[in-house]
Amino acid sequence: MSNFLPNPLLSTAGLPAFSLIQPEHINPAINTLIAENTQHLADLLQKIQQPSWDNLVAPLEDADDRLNKAFAPVSHLNSVKNNPQLRDAYNEALQALTAYHTQLGQNNALYQAYHQLATNAEFTTLNPAQQKTLEHTLRDFRLAGVDLPEEKKNRFAEIKSRLSQLSSLFANQVLDATQSFSHTVTDETELKGLPALLIQQAKHSAEQKNIPGWVFSLDAPVYLQIMQHAEHAPLRQLFYTAFMTKASDQGPGAGQWNNQPVMEEILQLRLEMAQLLGFAHYADYSLACKMAQSPQQVLDFLYQLAEQSRAMAEQELHELTQWTHETYSKQSLDVWDVPYYSERLKEARYSISQELLREYFPLPRVLNGLFNTIKQLFSVEIKPLESTELWHPDAQFFGVYKEGVLIAQCYLDLYAREGKKGGAWMGQCQVRRRTQNILQLPVAFLVCNFSAPVGDTPSLLTHQEVTTLFHEFGHGLHHMLSQIDVAAVSGINGVAWDAVELPSQFLENFCWQKPVLQELSSHYKTGAPLPDEWLDKMLAAKNFQSAIMMLRQLEFAIFDMRLHIEYGSAEFISVQTLIDEVRRQVAVIIPPNFNRFQLSFTHIFAGGYAAGYYSYKWAEVLSCDAFAAFEETGLFNPQTGAKFLHSILERGGAVDAMDCFIDFRGRPPSIDALLRHSGINHAKP
């Protein structure tokens, strides 16, 4: 780092200067801020006689916010512009931050100060957001081992540090294994059935590498199109095998990025950490700050859904195998056949396909339709803003306005590319909070991995990808429309993890409404609207194989919960044995023995979903029931939209998720809307 240039991560003004951030800036900045915060805390604790919000919590929030705003762009760049130097610097900073937060959580003097504030007379004068912050903070102290003897505190800190290393390693090995794989096709007949745009992109990739033929990556958009459309079965088998064995002993890289030992160590350390705190297993520890009250309650919920879905899933699979036998004379289906023939059956039954629809969902049109849907629902406008401070030419910057006043901002980065983590997510750049001097507006990162434009052809989305965009924007709205002024419970902060998917899944429902679909779509060449008969077919096909898809998600959720209950017990044999058993219980499509899905299951081994993957289905119950209110009163009923905004989006984590839902709906959630929306309510044994 130059002695003459200021460190861009230490700037307290404005948004991140992405173009200036270099790997060598990261650790000097993070270490400086940690040292300053540590000294600041020591000074505070020494001079405070009577803890109050203003002399304890507010100054600590200021310090925490500055550190968060320094690390947010680093974490973001590590995900969207990954390279070896940045990765090393990020991992080093992550270790320092993990140690710092662990020390904070185990600081007994700080805990006593918070406890004193929470039990003295001033507590009753605090607003609900402040009271909820104190309640969460005291809970988190206990979950960080503040009550442990010194030796166990040290071990807890070691575990936390090692777990942060391992989760980062797990994600990096999935990324590296994925990007190590490419397949070159030289025989044009093997391309039969593939979408023209995918072939064009593969040709472009080959030209860039200066090799003949067509080059296909293992990125999710490419993989999914090959699985659904490649007539050449060996190509589907090749990609299925590579995708389902990546980051294993047998996948791309032949074991170079094997996550098996990483996963085992993660599980061992999670169990040890939970037991240090007096929990029976990690699942109990995980649920300590979620809506669900016990692992058994979660499993009962998941198995209930599985039971109600199974008969219909078996019927769906029977129809598929019977149809492929009659139409293609196929005696049996391999797993890599299922997506391909499912798509053919869907086309035959409804005369519609994702690839046909893709031409009607150019990204610019979809974005405009999304923004207009949000405007109609919540009376906010989203407009593009000029920004020279972007990390890539494809990134965009937007402002969110209420009655002409800027209330939030967001970055969009929507195309897949080398060095960018797969999947889709919302990240926090900065959170809404009020200080004595200013109101800090929330800023979000919204990231997807769609196919990039090629030449004059814009990015064309499948309807599934349109739904993904709506999903992430739902998270973004939860963050950006918050009216809570305390950082710890503003936006998605402090929201129970199994409720955090409510706004995202809620917004997905609008992708299936005719008026919204008409606004989202027009042919990218002619501008012609999506034909009415296509719209009708698309809606008719909405629940095609929905029970099979339901069981697939339940398989992941049950596996995750049981793994974190049973790992380390006398009955537990191995992770593979458990996932095989869950599949026999739940799935109707059993994958081959070489499948190693769990070794790239980043949600639970490198994300926040450990013993929490059930949250998707738990929150889907909430989201379907919430959307039913709009079905009852009118899709864009202003009163219903305003009530959802005020009851759920604006309140962040300041009010318990169940109370927010009941405030909106007037009653606890019901599973009926989820089954109805999935078309499963009429399933017969």
Side-chain angles (χ1 to χ4, degrees):
M1 186 175 64
S2 165
N3 293 324
F4 304 103
L5 293 175
N7 190 319
L9 293 170
L10 291 173
S11 169
T12 54
L15 293 166
F18 293 104
S19 62
L20 300 178
I21 298 170
Q22 298 300 319
E24 61 266 25
H25 292 132
I26 294 170
N27 284 289
I30 297 303
N31 292 335
T32 296
L33 291 171
I34 286 174
E36 288 177 1
N37 286 5
T38 303
Q39 186 58 54
H40 180 51
L41 174 61
D43 294 343
L44 270 181
L45 290 175
Q46 196 169 11
K47 70 182 182 188
I48 289 175
Q49 299 296 318
Q50 180 66 40
S52 71
W53 185 271
D54 292 338
N55 70 16
L56 177 69
V57 187
L60 291 181
E61 186 186 278
D62 288 342
D64 199 37
D65 186 64
R66 191 171 176 214
L67 182 56
N68 287 343
K69 284 193 293 189
F71 190 62
V74 173
S75 179
H76 177 68
L77 288 171
N78 185 60
S79 294
V80 298
K81 203 174 180 180
N82 194 286
N83 63 58
Q85 297 77 23
L86 176 63
R87 182 186 290 188
D88 289 346
Y90 166 83
N91 286 336
E92 188 181 329
L94 190 63
Q95 286 303 293
L97 284 165
T98 302
Y100 168 70
H101 288 301
T102 303
Q103 285 167 3
L104 271 186
Q106 295 185 345
N107 187 319
N108 203 270
L110 182 58
Y111 170 64
Q112 293 301 334
Y114 268 97
H115 188 266
Q116 196 177 338
L117 174 55
T119 53
N120 71 22
E122 190 196 338
F123 182 80
T124 58
T125 68
L126 300 178
N127 65 45
Q130 293 171 323
Q131 292 184 351
K132 185 60 73 176
T133 296
L134 289 178
E135 180 189 314
H136 285 181
T137 304
L138 291 173
R139 175 200 68 197
D140 293 343
F141 271 118
R142 290 187 287 273
L143 293 177
V146 73
D147 296 326
L148 294 175
E150 203 60 35
E151 187 184 331
K152 288 186 175 179
K153 271 187 181 176
N154 293 337
R155 179 57 187 153
F156 185 93
E158 286 171 10
I159 292 171
K160 289 290 280 188
S161 174
R162 182 62 181 153
L163 281 172
S164 76
Q165 286 178 333
L166 290 167
S167 65
S168 184
L169 177 61
F170 190 97
N172 287 336
Q173 294 201 150
V174 173
L175 178 63
D176 290 343
T178 303
Q179 297 198 336
S180 75
F181 178 93
S182 69
H183 177 65
T184 304
V185 172
T186 52
D187 181 353
E188 195 167 355
T189 61
E190 291 183 17
L191 304 176
K192 204 170 177 193
L194 291 177
L197 191 61
L198 179 64
I199 294 171
Q200 190 183 346
Q201 287 166 337
K203 190 70 181 170
H204 181 65
S205 294
E207 287 165 358
Q208 284 186 315
K209 295 177 190 288
N210 204 26
I211 55 177
W214 298 264
V215 174
F216 296 91
S217 73
L218 202 56
D219 290 335
V222 176
Y223 170 73
L224 290 170
Q225 289 179 80
I226 287 173
M227 296 310 294
Q228 289 181 329
H229 301 290
E231 287 185 25
H232 190 59
L235 186 65
R236 298 197 306 269
Q237 181 178 356
L238 174 78
F239 270 79
Y240 175 87
T241 304
F243 198 83
M244 292 304 176
T245 57
K246 63 186 176 186
S248 79
D249 58 342
Q250 55 187 319
Q256 187 177 347
W257 297 286
N258 183 8
N259 266 335
Q260 180 73 33
V262 184
M263 175 187 71
E264 293 287 352
E265 191 178 350
I266 287 172
L267 290 167
Q268 287 163 9
L269 291 176
R270 282 177 179 167
L271 176 61
E272 185 184 348
M273 184 176 73
Q275 291 181 339
L276 271 175
L277 296 174
F279 294 101
H281 41 62
Y282 187 82
D284 276 345
Y285 169 81
S286 172
L287 293 190
C289 46
K290 292 183 171 71
M291 284 175 75
Q293 292 165 335
S294 71
Q296 193 57 51
Q297 183 192 13
V298 171
L299 287 174
D300 289 347
F301 162 72
L302 296 172
Y303 280 119
Q304 180 195 0
L305 273 179
E307 190 181 332
Q308 290 176 294
S309 307
R310 186 168 186 89
M312 185 166 160
E314 287 171 344
Q315 185 183 333
E316 289 169 350
L317 184 60
H318 174 70
E319 287 170 0
L320 176 66
T321 48
Q322 190 173 21
W323 182 80
T324 50
H325 177 65
E326 291 167 359
T327 312
Y328 294 91
S329 302
K330 245 186 120 51
Q331 299 304 314
S332 62
L333 292 175
D334 288 311
V335 282
W336 48 84
D337 296 328
V338 173
Y340 176 77
Y341 288 107
S342 292
E343 196 65 19
R344 304 292 78 76
L345 173 57
K346 189 176 180 181
E347 287 167 3
R349 188 177 286 177
Y350 303 105
S351 306
I352 201 76
S353 78
Q354 288 285 331
E355 289 308 313
L356 274 176
L357 291 168
R358 196 189 278 274
E359 296 191 351
Y360 285 88
F361 289 114
L363 182 59
R365 172 80 184 199
V366 172
L367 267 182
N368 285 337
L370 167 64
F371 294 165
N372 199 46
T373 300
I374 291 168
K375 182 181 177 181
Q376 289 183 77
L377 282 171
F378 307 124
S379 303
V380 295
E381 286 191 88
I382 302 173
K383 301 176 186 175
L385 292 173
E386 287 297 319
S387 176
T388 54
E389 278 305 334
L390 298 170
W391 54 92
H392 193 275
D394 291 341
Q396 299 169 273
F397 190 53
F398 292 87
V400 183
Y401 296 84
K402 183 111 178 168
E403 296 173 353
V405 177
L406 182 71
I407 61 167
Q409 294 164 311
C410 64
Y411 296 96
L412 264 64
D413 185 353
L414 301 179
Y415 308 133
R417 61 175 177 269
E418 197 169 335
K420 184 178 175 186
K421 191 174 79 172
W425 66 90
M426 188 281 291
Q428 299 184 55
C429 178
Q430 67 181 37
V431 69
R432 178 189 164 104
R433 58 184 288 265
R434 191 181 295 277
T435 68
Q436 286 183 327
N437 306 316
I438 59 151
L439 172 64
Q440 176 173 290
L441 298 181
V443 182
F445 295 119
L446 290 154
V447 184
C448 295
N449 272 280
F450 304 142
S451 297
V454 179
D456 295 333
T457 306
S459 176
L460 302 175
L461 308 189
T462 63
H463 182 258
Q464 201 170 358
E465 290 173 327
V466 173
T467 306
T468 297
L469 182 62
F470 269 65
H471 179 101
E472 298 310 331
F473 244 95
H475 284 309
L477 292 177
H478 204 182
H479 175 66
M480 294 187 289
L481 300 187
S482 178
Q483 289 297 296
I484 302 301
D485 294 341
V486 182
V489 288
S490 178
I492 64 168
N493 292 345
V495 177
W497 194 266
D498 41 8
V500 85
E501 297 293 335
L502 162 56
S504 53
Q505 292 177 336
F506 162 80
L507 204 62
E508 284 184 37
N509 288 286
F510 289 87
C511 298
W512 294 99
Q513 307 308 309
K514 229 173 183 176
V516 177
L517 281 167
Q518 287 164 336
E519 188 150 11
L520 292 174
S521 59
S522 66
H523 195 276
Y524 79 101
K525 283 183 179 172
T526 66
L530 188 64
D532 278 348
E533 63 269 27
W534 283 27
L535 258 176
D536 292 337
K537 288 170 182 173
M538 191 179 150
L539 294 171
K542 174 179 184 278
N543 290 322
F544 177 73
Q545 292 188 350
S546 64
I548 288 176
M549 287 188 281
M550 172 79 82
L551 289 187
R552 186 166 176 267
Q553 287 298 303
L554 294 171
E555 172 194 320
F556 299 159
I558 291 167
F559 162 68
D560 165 50
M561 184 55 68
R562 284 191 54 189
L563 179 64
H564 287 99
I565 293 170
E566 296 173 24
Y567 187 86
S569 67
E571 301 78 32
F572 187 82
I573 299 169
S574 72
V575 176
Q576 191 63 50
T577 304
L578 176 63
I579 199 168
D580 291 344
E581 182 189 323
V582 170
R583 283 169 175 156
R584 284 194 301 274
Q585 285 179 334
V586 174
V588 291
I589 299 166
I590 306 293
N593 289 335
F594 65 74
N595 183 293
R596 293 293 181 271
F597 159 77
Q598 64 271 22
L599 298 181
S600 59
F601 198 178
T602 51
H603 275 80
I604 70 168
F605 293 117
Y609 285 89
Y613 195 82
Y614 76 90
S615 300
Y616 283 104
K617 283 299 161 201
W618 189 275
E620 205 175 338
V621 170
L622 304 177
S623 66
C624 289
D625 201 346
F627 182 70
F630 290 80
E631 293 176 308
E632 292 157 14
T633 61
L635 200 56
F636 292 107
N637 181 287
Q639 287 78 29
T640 312
K643 193 171 185 186
F644 188 85
L645 174 67
H646 301 320
S647 297
I648 293 174
L649 296 178
E650 291 183 347
R651 294 165 99 173
V655 179
D656 286 339
M658 186 60 81
D659 293 338
C660 288
F661 182 89
I662 291 171
D663 186 48
F664 173 64
R665 244 354 216 138
R667 55 164 176 75
S670 160
I671 203 171
D672 296 345
L674 170 60
L675 294 171
R676 176 168 57 81
H677 284 167
S678 304
I680 293 174
N681 53 326
H682 299 305
K684 294 178 176 63

